[in-house]
Amino acid sequence: MAMVITVAIAVATELAIVGAGPAGMAAAEVAAGHGVEVTLVDEQAVPGGQFLRQPPPQFGVSDWLGDPVYREGRRLLERVSADRRLEWIMRSSVAGIFSNGDDDGDEPFTLVLNPVGEGDSGEGGAPRQLSARRVLIASGCFDLPVAFPGWTLPGVMAAGGIQAFVKSQQLVPGKRFLFAGSHPLQLVVADQIVQAGGSVAGVLFAQSSSRALALLKHPSVLLGNADKLSQTAGILWRLRRAGVPVRFRQTVLSANGTDSLESVTTVPVGPDGAIDSDAAEEIECDRLGVCFAFSTSSELARQAGVDCRWDASRGGWIAKHDDNMASSVPGVFVAGETTGVAGSDIAALEGQVAAIGCAAELGKIDARQAVELARLPRRQLSRRARFARLLSELAWPGASLFDQLMSDSATLCKCEGLTVGMLRTQLGRHPDIRTASAAKLLSRAGMGLCQGRYCHFALTRLMARQLGVPEERVGGFTSRFPAKPVSIGRLIGDDS
Amino acid sequence: MGRLISDKIRRGRAVSLSVNGSTVTAYEGETLAAVLLAEEVVVFNRTASGEPRAPYCNMGTCFECQVKVAEPGSAAFRWMRACVTPAADGMTIRTGERLSAPERDHHGNGNNGGNSGGD
Ligand SMILES: Cc1cc2nc3c(=O)[nH]c(=O)nc-3n(C[C@H](O)[C@H](O)[C@H](O)COP(=O)(O)OP(=O)(O)OC[C@H]3O[C@@H](n4cnc5c(N)ncnc54)[C@H](O)[C@@H]3O)c2cc1C
Ligand code: FES
């Protein structure tokens, strides 16, 4: 990772790529190949994104992500890491993207970068600026937070977060694990825990076995380019050998414990999708991995003015785009999970198409070349994207499951200490409150440090149901600058 | 509640930190979240109303893993996200501290990074 540097001054570039995951890396490689000057910005210390969470540079891990699933991704990572044409700005969060007004200017966009981690949670050091002629937003996604009683108790974690401890920190974060959800990733993580010597009490899928198995026949689509069946078969075999039960039509009702997780109450999910609280069971564990779905990191796109639409099973607010991955804002492109959660393969293909579009707009290639170059990735994309959509639907447990888990005592906004019941009461008293943004002002939901990332889904769902309107109508929290926390002192540069 | 994997791994240089008054050995490249979990720390912080909190996302987005950290040679403690903060020799960490009540707007949109400050 010799090329990873931190730039300390204002810089300019032709193409600024936000996010060095599979989408951003694939785009960088293609764009640089056509002579575009590229700068990648990522808040992590090393590139790779979520799929390829690397161990820190100080670690030597001899067979890191040795599984063939990761082969192509690792090669891409190795190539871009060694690519001397690329500029990197790591450990920097993009807090906002601003248009400088006149599109004919040399650098129509300014990105405000907020250095990560040298200080408190509001980050450290003064913000920096990067100006760019084109911007690609490839900001990925995060595990969908699901509100149920006890979900904020120490010991309850996003399954992807558990995986990152294993993959990148080489830590098994618990003694006895339970996984509950509907996404195939939970099987992968359970397997990684077992292989690292951890104990797994079970993996619960909310779907029926036929639905889940239809999904698990094609894990490669949602989970990277694994070779067909071999991966799931291998995982199921290893889990079985380790005595880990994989159960269907079961889910989490609550996480229990005083200061940390002691047990999880599980319930059957009937064929009609209704949970049966009378048949609840209790499973002892000190770590619960929650793994239903992913939520797009769409704040930056929305802050930049990019048109989004709501698609619950594909990540909530997803950025709209044309065939070239150009967004509704001229000069701003989008790729990867930002455009709908579909896995690393599709993310990388979208990155390639976006890079070709940028190269054409920047005059590095002509329109005919662009069409020619984009033909193959586009064809691969359309085939896989259709399939991925189908699988996302199979992986989606249905919003009504979340409605049932969201009982009144469940925390809704963890930052402001607001429960589902409190919000329901407030909304009942104020029938005129009909949008997420208005509910935010009323209840303070979404005003904390996570900036609504961890309550917006539950709040949107709750309001849509209570008001009897589609989620689109409830709308998102208005996403304004900064898309990530930064204190006012730092913005005006007087922070000491 | 955590165990470090030792198979096929070489960690970074050993560093020494203070966690709630005890000296702890960690390895360069580890995040504070990994160090604390390996040390069996359960409650990373408490909300203003006293609820216990610990890492949820492990990718920097949820802010549940905040702990109070003083840089080497400094006595000023600041809230930092343990999952994105690398362990450094001489750091002092306090866990289980109470967050202040949610702060009111700094700059108009309710988002603030100011849940910080000294002690
Ligand atoms: C925790 C987790 C674990 C996952 N594990 C797997 C897995 O094992 N297999 C699999 O196939 N898929 C997995 N996924 C799905 C994963 O999203 C895709 O496979 C793939 O990584 C998507 O690529 P991407 O480039 O779109 O986004 P990502 O890989 O998520 O990359 C986005 C990058 O953007 C950066 N970023 C975001 N916002 C900003 C900002 N404002 N400023 C600066 N940088 C920013 C992030 O730090 C990140 O590095 C996982 C997802 C998550 C959230
Ligand atoms: S665990 Fe979510 S920010 Fe650290």
Side-chain angles (χ1 to χ4, degrees):
Chain A
M1 302 287 71
M3 292 308 293
V4 179
I5 46 157
T6 305
V7 173
I9 42 164
V11 275
T13 190
E14 283 185 319
L15 171 61
I17 299 180
V18 185
M25 291 191 301
E29 185 175 50
V30 170
H34 295 299
V36 177
E37 193 187 300
V38 176
T39 302
L40 287 121
V41 189
D42 200 294
E43 54 197 15
Q44 296 290 334
V46 284
Q50 291 308 326
F51 184 51
L52 298 161
R53 274 288 276 269
Q54 296 191 60
Q58 295 92 337
F59 281 29
V61 181
S62 62
D63 67 343
W64 174 67
L65 300 185
D67 199 289
V69 196
Y70 298 107
R71 197 177 295 141
E72 239 176 79
R74 284 185 63 169
R75 286 198 188 126
L76 173 63
L77 177 59
E78 278 160 21
R79 287 197 307 271
V80 299
S81 302
D83 194 330
R84 308 198 140 255
R85 296 168 300 188
L86 305 175
E87 294 288 336
W88 299 87
I89 304 180
M90 302 305 289
R91 284 180 76 71
S92 284
S93 219
V94 177
I97 298 172
F98 299 93
S99 163
N100 296 342
D102 80 287
D103 265 7
D104 306 328
D106 276 350
E107 279 122 17
F109 298 102
T110 299
L111 284 73
V112 176
L113 314 183
N114 191 19
V116 172
E118 294 140 32
D120 58 86
S121 355
E123 320 311 347
R128 298 159 192 167
Q129 289 192 355
L130 171 67
S131 35
R133 296 183 60 196
R134 290 293 178 279
V135 180
L136 170 62
I137 303 176
S139 53
C141 63
F142 59 100
D143 298 76
L144 175 77
V146 173
F148 56 83
W151 77 275
T152 59
L153 196 61
V156 181
M157 269 188 81
I162 294 177
Q163 184 189 39
F165 274 129
V166 182
K167 259 206 275 208
S168 131
Q169 288 285 309
Q170 306 292 316
L171 170 87
V172 179
K175 298 204 168 65
R176 193 159 170 76
F177 292 75
L178 179 70
F179 291 89
S182 55
H183 194 276
L185 180 67
Q186 60 176 351
L187 271 190
V188 176
V189 185
D191 179 45
Q192 286 168 331
I193 295 286
V194 167
Q195 290 195 52
S199 150
V200 178
V203 183
L204 312 182
F205 279 88
Q207 307 94 316
S208 65
S209 58
S210 58
R211 211 176 147 98
L213 290 173
L215 175 68
L216 294 172
K217 272 197 190 136
H218 309 281
S220 49
V221 178
L222 292 183
L223 291 175
N225 50 60
D227 267 318
K228 331 230 163 38
L229 287 168
S230 59
Q231 200 205 5
T232 314
I235 291 176
L236 289 171
W237 183 78
R238 280 190 296 269
L239 291 178
R240 188 149 168 208
R241 197 184 45 177
V244 176
V246 178
R247 297 167 71 189
F248 303 95
R249 288 200 181 293
Q250 289 281 328
T251 201
V252 51
L253 184 68
S254 66
N256 320 309
T258 15
D259 260 357
S260 67
L261 184 66
E262 289 157 22
S263 71
V264 171
T265 305
T266 66
V267 281
V269 183
D272 57 350
I275 59 173
D276 180 1
S277 318
D278 295 336
E281 282 175 60
E282 205 153 312
I283 300 179
E284 277 180 31
C285 57
D286 67 342
R287 185 65 75 190
L288 171 66
V290 180
C291 194
F292 287 96
F294 294 95
S295 185
T296 55
S297 297
S298 62
E299 307 75 27
L300 191 61
R302 289 187 293 123
Q303 178 276 332
V306 169
D307 273 350
C308 292
R309 65 188 176 83
W310 179 267
D311 187 334
S313 70
R314 295 176 62 212
W317 295 109
I318 64 180
K320 295 187 192 168
H321 57 82
D322 68 9
D323 283 352
N324 294 321
M325 305 311 296
S327 77
S328 63
V329 178
V332 175
F333 288 72
V334 287
E337 311 293 41
T338 320
T339 68
V341 178
S344 63
D345 251 11
I346 289 174
L349 287 168
E350 288 186 348
Q352 293 174 18
V353 173
I356 294 164
C358 288
E361 282 195 10
L362 291 166
K364 309 284 180 184
I365 51 177
D366 64 34
R368 201 180 41 82
Q369 279 172 303
V371 171
E372 209 42 52
L373 286 164
R375 185 162 296 149
L376 182 63
R378 268 205 196 117
R379 192 177 328 131
Q380 293 175 325
L381 249 183
S382 70
R383 198 161 15 98
R384 293 188 203 191
R386 222 175 355 215
F387 203 36
R389 212 157 293 168
L390 203 97
L391 294 179
S392 297
E393 269 155 37
L394 286 172
W396 180 246
S400 90
L401 182 76
F402 300 134
D403 297 342
Q404 296 173 75
L405 298 182
M406 238 195 276
S407 53
D408 278 350
S409 66
T411 297
L412 182 100
C413 170
K414 63 180 187 53
C415 301
E416 300 281 326
L418 185 81
T419 63
V420 169
M422 284 156 77
L423 183 71
R424 280 200 179 116
T425 310
Q426 293 191 23
L427 290 174
R429 274 200 219 114
H430 298 270
D432 51 315
I433 302 288
R434 302 183 70 83
T435 64
S437 290
K440 174 175 173 176
L441 291 176
L442 172 76
S443 67
R444 302 197 52 82
M447 287 202 180
L449 282 173
C450 86
Q451 301 189 294
R453 282 175 183 77
Y454 284 76
C455 65
H456 93 271
F457 180 84
L459 178 133
T460 306
R461 186 60 211 157
L462 189 154
M463 290 185 72
R465 193 152 153 258
Q466 190 146 332
L467 299 169
V469 298
E471 282 90 347
E472 290 264 0
R473 192 85 70 76
V474 174
F477 291 136
T478 332
S479 189
R480 271 185 252 148
F481 175 74
K484 289 268 164 106
V486 49
S487 76
I488 193 74
R490 293 201 178 89
L491 286 178
I492 57 178
D494 71 355
D495 212 45
S496 48
Chain B
M1 46 155 72
R3 184 179 58 74
L4 295 178
I5 302 171
S6 49
D7 228 22
K8 299 187 196 144
I9 299 204
R10 175 176 47 76
R11 282 173 199 277
R13 194 167 62 88
V15 295
S16 160
L17 326 170
S18 155
V19 176
N20 300 327
S22 314
T23 304
V24 162
T25 303
Y27 299 92
E28 262 182 4
E30 286 180 343
T31 63
L32 292 184
V35 173
L36 295 173
L37 289 177
E39 284 300 313
E40 312 277 319
V41 168
V42 174
V43 179
F44 278 49
N45 65 68
R46 284 184 190 274
T47 63
S49 61
E51 280 179 37
R53 294 294 170 81
Y56 184 85
C57 71
N58 193 22
M59 58 181 280
T61 45
C62 75
F63 289 79
E64 293 289 88
C65 63
Q66 293 184 89
V67 291
K68 281 245 165 126
V69 179
E71 298 291 346
S74 158
F77 282 85
R78 291 188 293 181
W79 285 110
M80 293 215 202
R81 285 172 294 172
C83 73
V84 289
T85 307
D89 203 37
M91 270 181 169
T92 310
I93 297 144
R94 293 209 307 240
T95 66
E97 303 265 307
R98 215 175 255 241
L99 296 164
S100 53
E103 278 182 37
R104 298 314 175 213
D105 287 10
H106 270 18
H107 42 78
N109 63 358
N111 299 326
N112 71 71
N115 195 357
S116 58
D119 227 5

